[in-house]
Amino acid sequence: MTDAPIPDAERKMQFLFQLRSKGVTDTRVLKAMEAIDRGDFVKGIFADRAYEDMPLPIASGQTISQPSIVGRMTQALEITPKSKVLEVGTGSGYQAAILAKLARRIYTIDRHRALVMESRKLFERMGLHNITAIAGDGSFGLPEQAPFDRIVLTAAAEDPPGPLLAQLAIGGIMVLPVGQSDAVQTLLKVRRLDSGYDYEELMPVRFVPLLEGLV
Ligand code: SAH
């Protein structure tokens, strides 16, 4: 006898329950994560694991982050409907799509051209017209669109990149993993104040490294 497939509604409920139990409690964030189907961003043999709380392989040797980490990072960003957001590390486009439900405007950059092209198609198909996906090295940010109210990195740098600190608006928030690529990293929340920057360590995380150049 084979197991009956789990109905979609039940899978969705389990998905949201897992998020809550891992500290994603902000109602707006949960609503955005309910609206964006992670199954649309995971292809091939891993597709049936899309609703599990784990990172999964995507194209170009990269990964889609663990949903609870996406939720915690989104929550830490304290996004408002007026926010202009920069994401470094488009990957599958999942994080950007969630941000698009919460903020006014999203710019997302990835160094892999193929991932940017794929995610553009997905955003179009999902009707997410407030996202601009750009191929480039995100360590330099996007000076022509700066300043940003919020900046999020989904690849780990040893330290917050200077150009990104400079492109953060006063009063703005940046969330990023910092640390060596092969060790446990720390999720850092940076707030730009009138007089400088305030740093808060949130939790241990593990992300792919922020690398140089376009591929
Ligand atoms: N946010 C993604 C997960 C991204 S994985 C999602 O929701 O699926 C990290 C991504 O960062 C990879 O796609 C990698 O190509 C990208 N990356 C690494 N270094 C980069 C850089 N300097 N500029 C832009 N993207 C970079």
Side-chain angles (χ1 to χ4, degrees):
M1 212 174 92
T2 55
D3 288 339
I6 304 169
D8 277 357
E10 192 173 321
R11 281 219 289 205
K12 203 165 230 184
M13 247 175 56
Q14 281 173 1
F15 181 72
L16 292 169
F17 178 80
Q18 262 189 98
L19 291 176
R20 273 196 214 96
S21 70
K22 291 189 179 164
V24 186
T25 50
D26 183 300
T27 321
R28 286 188 71 228
V29 173
L30 286 166
K31 237 180 120 183
M33 294 187 77
E34 187 176 1
I36 300 295
D37 188 346
R38 191 167 184 251
D40 289 339
F41 298 84
V42 184
K43 296 184 186 80
I45 53 169
F46 295 103
D48 63 342
R49 313 195 75 166
Y51 307 100
E52 292 176 29
D53 193 32
M54 53 165 64
L56 292 170
I58 56 169
S60 304
Q62 302 304 312
T63 50
I64 177 170
S65 313
Q66 188 176 341
S68 60
I69 300 292
V70 172
R72 295 283 293 270
M73 288 173 82
T74 308
Q75 200 164 272
L77 280 168
E78 299 177 31
I79 288 171
T80 79
K82 288 187 181 164
S83 303
K84 178 161 92 172
V85 186
L86 173 67
E87 180 197 28
V88 175
T90 313
S92 67
Y94 180 59
Q95 168 83 76
I98 292 164
L99 295 171
K101 288 278 174 197
L102 297 164
R104 176 173 59 87
R105 198 81 189 73
I106 316 296
Y107 294 88
T108 181
I109 310 183
D110 204 289
R111 60 190 290 272
H112 282 278
R113 286 189 182 88
L115 291 175
V116 170
M117 277 158 60
E118 273 309 301
S119 63
R120 270 187 200 144
K121 280 189 237 161
L122 263 177
F123 301 149
E124 181 73 38
R125 206 184 316 145
M126 300 171 91
L128 300 171
H129 301 301
N130 58 341
I131 310 178
T132 305
I134 299 154
D137 185 338
S139 327
F140 301 102
L142 206 58
E144 62 274 27
Q145 293 297 341
F148 296 96
D149 304 307
R150 303 291 185 263
I151 299 178
V152 59
L153 279 82
T154 62
E158 284 189 27
D159 294 298
L164 297 179
L165 286 171
Q167 289 171 35
L168 187 62
I170 291 173
I173 297 172
M174 171 155 75
V175 172
L176 75 161
V178 287
Q180 306 283 340
S181 60
D182 52 355
V184 171
Q185 306 143 2
T186 304
L187 194 65
L188 197 64
K189 178 168 174 172
V190 184
R191 235 179 241 277
R192 183 163 190 180
L193 313 169
D194 284 327
S195 55
Y197 298 86
D198 177 61
Y199 298 86
E200 184 190 346
E201 291 188 1
L202 299 181
M203 59 197 267
V205 285
R206 188 151 196 182
F207 279 86
V208 300
L210 190 71
L211 298 174
E212 283 177 19
L214 189 60
V215 283

